[in-house]
Amino acid sequence: GPKVLQIPSHQIIDMGQMVTLNCDPVSNHLYFYWYKQILGQQMEFLVNFYNGKVMEKSKLFKDQFSVERPDGSYFTLKIQPTALEDSAVYFCASRGTGENLYFGSGTRLTVL
Amino acid sequence: GDQVEQSPSALSLHEGTGSALRCNFTTTMRAVQWFRKNSRGSLINLFYLASGTKENGRLKSAFDSKERYSTLHIRDAQLEDSGTYFCAAEAGGSNAKLTFGKGTKLSVKS
């Protein structure tokens, strides 16, 4: 089936540094999402993005977070600066004209 | 409290048997998706339902928006069905913003 790729699967970064999480969504998909899962908790919505704009964001999407997809390349989540509480697994998802959301395998972010 | 309550949290089945997973919603949801997370961490799409039931092989799912629940039935369980199953519901007008349940960890044993 359609695949969303997230590389790398794990990133380790020092608190205060910037990190960019990359997502290669399904080709021709139009809607893009980031979800966050803290260890032991369920996945929670962060943001959705369409036509170059943030459509909706949750309370978890702090001011230090930003998303973009320049020129149809990777859909990225940037955190600047990182904080300890940003440690989590971040899942990217995309959707085309259909209704199914397709998820990547996640990037585990560890902030030291 | 949680908008999506998933049960059971863990389930053990012998090969060839079946059971049902359930998600209850505290508010009216427009649609539900069911996923299985495999050993590599990939979320596999199982079903998307806006109403009624769908069946795919040994899996069958139902969604009742009015009664605020969805179920996933597994029959004739196989070893490869092991994994964590999640329901995720979409509220009306939410542009596919999903609220996830906490998951059901299924272990199928020979």
Side-chain angles (χ1 to χ4, degrees), chain A residues 12-55:
Chain A
I12 301 172
I13 195 155
D14 290 323
M15 182 177 63
Q17 298 290 311
M18 181 194 76
V19 69
T20 300
L21 306 184
N22 294 309
C23 170
D24 188 7
V26 177
S27 177
N28 297 325
H29 276 192
L30 305 172
Y31 300 86
F32 311 105
Y33 306 78
W34 284 103
Y35 283 74
K36 177 181 180 181
Q37 185 175 29
I38 294 172
L39 187 63
Q41 300 182 22
Q42 61 256 61
M43 288 170 64
E44 293 189 87
F45 170 82
L46 277 178
V47 65
N48 61 16
F49 187 85
Y50 169 73
N51 198 25
K53 298 175 190 168
V54 169
M55 302 296 289

Side-chain angles (χ1 to χ4, degrees), chain B residues 45-47 53-61 72-73 75:
Chain B
N45 288 61
L46 299 177
F47 293 104
T53 62
K54 284 187 179 178
E55 192 164 357
N56 184 4
R58 295 177 290 100
L59 298 179
K60 182 176 179 179
S61 183
L72 177 68
H73 292 257
R75 61 176 176 84

